[in-house]
Amino acid sequence: DVISVHGCGGLGMSCIMIAKARGCRRIIAIDVSDDALRKAKDELGATDTINARDEDVLARVLEITGGRGADVAVDAAGFKQTCEGAIHSARRGGTVVQVGLPIGDVKPIVPMGMVAGRELQIIGSHGADARDMPSILELVRTGKLDPKKLIEREVTLEEGAAALMDMDKGSPLGMLLITKFAEEPKSLL
């Protein structure tokens, strides 16, 4: 299988790692950050990278896949460009998975004529289903999946809240893990 992952923040990097752990033969990481693309390829299992700021995403996906497109195209960011890029890069009869939550006021254009004509399947996902957890945990147990690679740094609760509010401005190279909590709760009043 060939998967294209549009958006390489923490969620996209998770998708890349799971695709690799499940034996996907070609994993295309797409982002606007060279640092995120480098991490995706050097550390997480992407076989190919595309910088969407500098390259024509659809042309490069078609080049990498021999003109076919991706079997599965994932929008892991929720931006207009990542959603549209995922739809356009899926092969005929392919699957588009919308994992990233829509961000901002600019809405994506979903070409339903193309979706029908190319017989695309669009799936929305808002996290892992509880039924999938045993197989994911088995990948962790056997060492095929190392979630520690996703953690960029540990932060305080306050830093985590601030980072969440800034997600539409950019994302860290991986995930921030809240491990430090205030000893005394601060009053909100």
Side-chain angles (χ1 to χ4, degrees):
D1 286 347
V2 176
I3 184 171
S4 61
V5 178
H6 301 253
C8 294
L11 186 56
M13 289 186 184
S14 297
C15 294
I16 290 166
M17 288 179 65
I18 291 170
K20 180 178 186 213
R22 296 212 178 207
C24 191
R25 69 177 172 82
R26 201 94 194 236
I27 303 166
I28 306 167
I30 303 160
D31 202 274
V32 295
S33 164
D34 287 328
D35 291 335
L37 294 171
R38 195 170 13 265
K39 179 173 180 147
K41 189 166 187 178
D42 295 347
E43 299 176 33
L44 305 179
T47 56
D48 303 272
T49 61
I50 299 171
N51 188 317
R53 185 186 326 252
D54 304 328
E55 301 176 78
D56 180 325
V57 172
L58 177 57
R60 285 283 291 127
V61 169
L62 292 174
E63 177 187 326
I64 291 166
T65 62
R68 187 167 181 255
D71 298 301
V72 177
V74 177
D75 173 10
F79 294 107
K80 177 184 189 313
Q81 297 87 345
T82 55
C83 177
E84 291 173 3
I87 292 167
H88 287 279
S89 70
R91 70 165 172 80
R92 178 176 184 78
T95 301
V96 177
V97 182
Q98 184 64 45
V99 181
L101 295 175
I103 297 172
D105 295 328
V106 181
K107 304 296 181 221
I109 296 170
V110 179
M112 293 310 289
M114 186 184 83
V115 170
R118 290 180 48 204
E119 300 177 323
L120 299 177
Q121 181 178 36
I122 299 178
I123 299 172
S125 177
H126 190 58
D129 188 285
R131 294 173 292 193
D132 296 329
M133 291 313 293
S135 64
I136 296 290
L137 292 174
E138 181 63 14
L139 292 172
V140 173
R141 187 190 70 74
T142 59
K144 291 181 179 176
L145 187 62
D146 183 3
K148 284 187 246 170
K149 289 181 179 180
L150 291 173
I151 300 170
E152 180 183 345
R153 70 180 193 275
E154 295 181 22
V155 297
T156 66
L157 183 60
E158 291 81 11
E159 291 168 329
L164 185 61
M165 298 308 291
D166 288 338
M167 288 291 287
D168 61 343
K169 297 175 188 161
S171 61
L173 291 178
M175 295 183 179
L176 302 180
L177 183 64
I178 298 171
T179 59
K180 302 166 191 152
F181 300 89
E183 290 186 29
E184 290 185 35
K186 293 182 182 178
S187 173
L188 298 176
L189 302 176

